[in-house]
Amino acid sequence: IIVAAPAFAHAYFSEQLAALLEPGQLVVFQPGVLGSSLELARHFALAQRRPCLIAETATSLYTCRLRGPAKVFIGAIKQAVPLATIPHAACQEALARLSPYFGNRYVDGTDTLSVGLGNCNAIYHVPPAVLNIKTVEDSAKLPQHTLVTPRIAEVINALDEERLSLAEALGVKTHSFWEFLATAYGVTEGSHVERIVQGYGRQAFPEPDSLTHRYFTEDIPFGLVTWNSLAKQIGLPLPLTDAFIRISGILCGADFEATGRTAEATVIYRELAALNPKSVEGLAARREIAKLAFAADAMALALAQEAVAAKADLTLTPEERVFLYMPYMHSESRLIHEIAERLFKEHGPKSNYE
C-alpha cells in the first residue's frame, strides 16, 4: 500500500489503516515526513493490533504533478531514494518486495530518523516562495527554479545547514540538499543556482499560486516546525528556521506551530535518539521512555518495540534496559505481557525479574 498524500493527511490515514491492515502487508509513506511511519505504529499500538511492515521515504520516487483528473505529469524519476522501515531490521525485506514494481531505485536509508531528517522539500520550497511572496500573491506561476537568485541560494544553503546541525546533534547522519541533488538527479557540478537549474529546470514546476499551497501548509508545519520543536528540546537554536516559521505564519495568517507536527505533540524523535548508541542524547532519551509509559502508553510501546527490533536494547546495561522495557509492562495486552516476561527474563537484571 503506497500512501502518496500530503503530510497533513498522514494522521488520518494512519488511524484508518491501523484498524484494517494485517501483519503480512506493507505500507510505504512515499514520501514521508519526520514521524510518518511512527504515526502509523502509534495507531497500531492504540488499537492493540499487531502492526504490519511500515516504510517511509524522504522524497517521492517520482517528481510529478497532477495535471487533471486521473492525469499525472512525471517530470523525472529519481535515481535513488533512501527508505527506512519499522522494524528497522526488516528494511531488506521491504526493498525486496518493492523491487519488482520500482526496480532498485529504493535504497537502504539506515533508520527512520535519518530518513525523516533527510526530507529536503522545505529547504527548496520555502525560501524562494517566501522571499518572492508578491509573485505568489499575484498567482504568477513562475517556474520555482527561476526564483532562486545567487543570494536566495545562499539562504537555501544556510537553512540546510541548520537542518544538518540538528541531525548531528541527534547523532545521525543525513545528506545535504546538494548531496540530495546528486543522488536523486545526478547533479554534481556548478554553483548553487546552476545545480538547482540542472535538477529542477527540466520539470519547470511552478511556484505556489496561493498562500494555501502545500509549500506553505505542508512544508512549514510538517517540516520546519518539526525540526525547530525538536531542536528546542535539546537546546539547539535554529534562528533561520524559526524566522521562516514566524514570517510565513504572518504572511499566511496561520499558526503553523499549533497545527503542525511538533516534538511535543508526537513525542517521537528525541526518544528515537535512543536507537542510536552514538547519540549524545541517547541515554537521556532511553530513560525518558519510562516517563512516556504513563503519559503516552501507546507511543512509548511503539518506540520500545522499534528499539527492541533494532536490537538497540542489547547496547544498554541490564539496569538501563528496565527503562526501555517498561512500556511492555504497562500494556493491557496479554501478548505484550508475554513478550515483556521474556525480555526481562533474558535481558533484564536477574533480581528485577524475580
Short mmCIF file of all heavy atoms in Angstrom, two decimals, residues 190-216:
data_model
loop_
_atom_site.label_atom_id
_atom_site.label_comp_id
_atom_site.label_asym_id
_atom_site.label_seq_id
_atom_site.Cartn_x
_atom_site.Cartn_y
_atom_site.Cartn_z
N GLY A 190 28.79 22.79 -10.58
CA GLY A 190 28.22 24.11 -10.79
C GLY A 190 27.96 24.83 -9.49
O GLY A 190 28.11 24.28 -8.39
N SER A 191 27.59 26.10 -9.62
CA SER A 191 27.22 26.90 -8.46
C SER A 191 25.91 26.40 -7.88
O SER A 191 25.24 25.54 -8.48
CB SER A 191 27.07 28.37 -8.87
OG SER A 191 25.95 28.52 -9.73
N HIS A 192 25.52 26.93 -6.74
CA HIS A 192 24.26 26.52 -6.14
C HIS A 192 23.09 26.77 -7.09
O HIS A 192 22.21 25.92 -7.26
CB HIS A 192 24.04 27.27 -4.82
CG HIS A 192 24.93 26.79 -3.72
ND1 HIS A 192 25.15 27.53 -2.57
CD2 HIS A 192 25.66 25.66 -3.59
CE1 HIS A 192 25.97 26.86 -1.77
NE2 HIS A 192 26.29 25.73 -2.37
N VAL A 193 23.05 27.93 -7.71
CA VAL A 193 21.97 28.25 -8.65
C VAL A 193 22.01 27.29 -9.83
O VAL A 193 20.96 26.77 -10.27
CB VAL A 193 22.07 29.71 -9.13
CG1 VAL A 193 21.06 29.97 -10.25
CG2 VAL A 193 21.82 30.67 -7.97
N GLU A 194 23.18 27.05 -10.37
CA GLU A 194 23.30 26.16 -11.53
C GLU A 194 22.85 24.74 -11.20
O GLU A 194 22.22 24.07 -12.02
CB GLU A 194 24.75 26.16 -12.02
CG GLU A 194 25.16 27.48 -12.68
CD GLU A 194 26.66 27.57 -12.92
OE1 GLU A 194 27.42 26.82 -12.28
OE2 GLU A 194 27.06 28.42 -13.73
N ARG A 195 23.15 24.29 -10.00
CA ARG A 195 22.72 22.94 -9.62
C ARG A 195 21.20 22.86 -9.49
O ARG A 195 20.59 21.85 -9.88
CB ARG A 195 23.38 22.53 -8.30
CG ARG A 195 24.88 22.37 -8.40
CD ARG A 195 25.48 21.81 -7.13
NE ARG A 195 26.93 21.83 -7.18
CZ ARG A 195 27.72 21.18 -6.34
NH1 ARG A 195 27.19 20.44 -5.37
NH2 ARG A 195 29.02 21.25 -6.44
N ILE A 196 20.59 23.89 -8.97
CA ILE A 196 19.13 23.91 -8.85
C ILE A 196 18.49 23.91 -10.24
O ILE A 196 17.51 23.19 -10.49
CB ILE A 196 18.68 25.12 -8.02
CG1 ILE A 196 18.99 24.86 -6.54
CG2 ILE A 196 17.18 25.39 -8.21
CD1 ILE A 196 18.74 26.04 -5.63
N VAL A 197 19.06 24.69 -11.17
CA VAL A 197 18.53 24.72 -12.54
C VAL A 197 18.69 23.34 -13.20
O VAL A 197 17.76 22.86 -13.86
CB VAL A 197 19.25 25.80 -13.36
CG1 VAL A 197 18.86 25.69 -14.84
CG2 VAL A 197 18.90 27.18 -12.83
N GLN A 198 19.83 22.70 -12.99
CA GLN A 198 20.05 21.37 -13.57
C GLN A 198 19.08 20.34 -12.98
O GLN A 198 18.59 19.46 -13.69
CB GLN A 198 21.48 20.91 -13.31
CG GLN A 198 22.55 21.70 -14.03
CD GLN A 198 23.95 21.28 -13.62
OE1 GLN A 198 24.32 20.10 -13.74
NE2 GLN A 198 24.72 22.22 -13.09
N GLY A 199 18.82 20.45 -11.68
CA GLY A 199 17.97 19.48 -11.03
C GLY A 199 16.49 19.68 -11.30
O GLY A 199 15.75 18.71 -11.52
N TYR A 200 16.06 20.93 -11.30
CA TYR A 200 14.62 21.21 -11.37
C TYR A 200 14.18 21.92 -12.66
O TYR A 200 12.98 21.99 -12.93
CB TYR A 200 14.20 22.06 -10.17
CG TYR A 200 14.40 21.36 -8.85
CD1 TYR A 200 15.45 21.71 -8.01
CD2 TYR A 200 13.54 20.35 -8.44
CE1 TYR A 200 15.64 21.07 -6.79
CE2 TYR A 200 13.72 19.70 -7.23
CZ TYR A 200 14.77 20.06 -6.41
OH TYR A 200 14.95 19.42 -5.20
N GLY A 201 15.12 22.42 -13.43
CA GLY A 201 14.75 23.15 -14.63
C GLY A 201 14.04 22.29 -15.66
O GLY A 201 13.17 22.76 -16.40
N ARG A 202 14.37 21.01 -15.67
CA ARG A 202 13.75 20.11 -16.66
C ARG A 202 12.25 19.96 -16.42
O ARG A 202 11.48 19.75 -17.35
CB ARG A 202 14.43 18.74 -16.62
CG ARG A 202 14.15 17.92 -15.38
CD ARG A 202 15.04 16.69 -15.25
NE ARG A 202 16.33 17.03 -14.69
CZ ARG A 202 17.28 16.13 -14.42
NH1 ARG A 202 17.08 14.86 -14.69
NH2 ARG A 202 18.42 16.50 -13.89
N GLN A 203 11.81 20.06 -15.15
CA GLN A 203 10.37 19.94 -14.87
C GLN A 203 9.68 21.31 -14.95
O GLN A 203 8.53 21.40 -15.34
CB GLN A 203 10.13 19.36 -13.48
CG GLN A 203 10.72 17.98 -13.27
CD GLN A 203 12.06 18.06 -12.56
OE1 GLN A 203 12.35 19.03 -11.88
NE2 GLN A 203 12.88 17.05 -12.72
N ALA A 204 10.40 22.36 -14.52
CA ALA A 204 9.87 23.73 -14.53
C ALA A 204 8.52 23.83 -13.82
O ALA A 204 7.61 24.52 -14.27
CB ALA A 204 9.75 24.24 -15.97
N PHE A 205 8.38 23.12 -12.69
CA PHE A 205 7.13 23.19 -11.94
C PHE A 205 6.97 24.60 -11.38
O PHE A 205 7.93 25.23 -10.94
CB PHE A 205 7.12 22.17 -10.81
CG PHE A 205 7.03 20.75 -11.28
CD1 PHE A 205 7.76 19.75 -10.66
CD2 PHE A 205 6.23 20.41 -12.36
CE1 PHE A 205 7.67 18.43 -11.09
CE2 PHE A 205 6.14 19.09 -12.80
CZ PHE A 205 6.87 18.11 -12.17
N PRO A 206 5.73 25.12 -11.37
CA PRO A 206 5.52 26.50 -10.95
C PRO A 206 5.63 26.71 -9.45
O PRO A 206 5.48 25.77 -8.66
CB PRO A 206 4.10 26.80 -11.45
CG PRO A 206 3.42 25.46 -11.44
CD PRO A 206 4.48 24.47 -11.83
N GLU A 207 5.87 27.95 -9.10
CA GLU A 207 5.86 28.36 -7.70
C GLU A 207 4.43 28.24 -7.15
O GLU A 207 3.48 28.04 -7.92
CB GLU A 207 6.30 29.82 -7.62
CG GLU A 207 5.31 30.77 -8.32
CD GLU A 207 5.70 32.21 -8.23
OE1 GLU A 207 6.28 32.60 -7.20
OE2 GLU A 207 5.42 32.95 -9.18
N PRO A 208 4.26 28.39 -5.84
CA PRO A 208 2.90 28.37 -5.28
C PRO A 208 2.04 29.47 -5.91
O PRO A 208 2.52 30.56 -6.20
CB PRO A 208 3.14 28.64 -3.79
CG PRO A 208 4.54 28.18 -3.55
CD PRO A 208 5.29 28.49 -4.80
N ASP A 209 0.77 29.14 -6.14
CA ASP A 209 -0.13 30.13 -6.72
C ASP A 209 -1.08 30.74 -5.69
O ASP A 209 -1.98 31.50 -6.04
CB ASP A 209 -0.94 29.51 -7.87
CG ASP A 209 -1.72 28.29 -7.44
OD1 ASP A 209 -1.66 27.92 -6.24
OD2 ASP A 209 -2.40 27.69 -8.29
N SER A 210 -0.88 30.38 -4.41
CA SER A 210 -1.69 30.95 -3.34
C SER A 210 -1.01 30.68 -2.01
O SER A 210 -0.07 29.87 -1.93
CB SER A 210 -3.10 30.36 -3.33
OG SER A 210 -3.08 29.05 -2.79
N LEU A 211 -1.50 31.33 -0.97
CA LEU A 211 -0.95 31.13 0.37
C LEU A 211 -1.46 29.86 1.03
O LEU A 211 -1.06 29.55 2.16
CB LEU A 211 -1.28 32.35 1.25
CG LEU A 211 -0.62 33.66 0.79
CD1 LEU A 211 -1.14 34.83 1.62
CD2 LEU A 211 0.90 33.57 0.89
N THR A 212 -2.33 29.13 0.34
CA THR A 212 -2.79 27.83 0.85
C THR A 212 -2.13 26.68 0.11
O THR A 212 -2.52 25.53 0.28
CB THR A 212 -4.33 27.71 0.72
OG1 THR A 212 -4.70 27.86 -0.66
CG2 THR A 212 -5.02 28.78 1.55
N HIS A 213 -1.14 26.98 -0.69
CA HIS A 213 -0.38 25.95 -1.42
C HIS A 213 0.37 25.08 -0.41
O HIS A 213 0.76 25.54 0.66
CB HIS A 213 0.59 26.63 -2.38
CG HIS A 213 1.25 25.71 -3.36
ND1 HIS A 213 2.33 24.93 -3.04
CD2 HIS A 213 0.98 25.45 -4.68
CE1 HIS A 213 2.72 24.24 -4.10
NE2 HIS A 213 1.90 24.54 -5.11
N ARG A 214 0.63 23.83 -0.78
CA ARG A 214 1.25 22.90 0.17
C ARG A 214 2.69 23.29 0.52
O ARG A 214 3.22 22.82 1.53
CB ARG A 214 1.20 21.47 -0.37
CG ARG A 214 2.11 21.18 -1.55
CD ARG A 214 2.04 19.71 -1.95
NE ARG A 214 2.96 19.41 -3.04
CZ ARG A 214 4.24 19.09 -2.87
NH1 ARG A 214 4.75 19.04 -1.65
NH2 ARG A 214 5.01 18.83 -3.91
N TYR A 215 3.34 24.13 -0.29
CA TYR A 215 4.67 24.60 0.10
C TYR A 215 4.59 25.38 1.42
O TYR A 215 5.58 25.48 2.15
CB TYR A 215 5.27 25.49 -0.97
CG TYR A 215 5.76 24.77 -2.21
CD1 TYR A 215 5.50 23.41 -2.42
CD2 TYR A 215 6.50 25.44 -3.19
CE1 TYR A 215 5.94 22.76 -3.56
CE2 TYR A 215 6.96 24.79 -4.32
CZ TYR A 215 6.67 23.45 -4.52
OH TYR A 215 7.10 22.81 -5.65
N PHE A 216 3.41 25.92 1.71
CA PHE A 216 3.18 26.60 2.98
C PHE A 216 2.51 25.65 3.98
O PHE A 216 2.96 25.51 5.12
CB PHE A 216 2.31 27.84 2.79
CG PHE A 216 2.95 28.91 1.95
CD1 PHE A 216 2.55 29.11 0.64
CD2 PHE A 216 3.97 29.70 2.45
CE1 PHE A 216 3.13 30.09 -0.15
CE2 PHE A 216 4.57 30.69 1.67
CZ PHE A 216 4.15 30.88 0.36
#
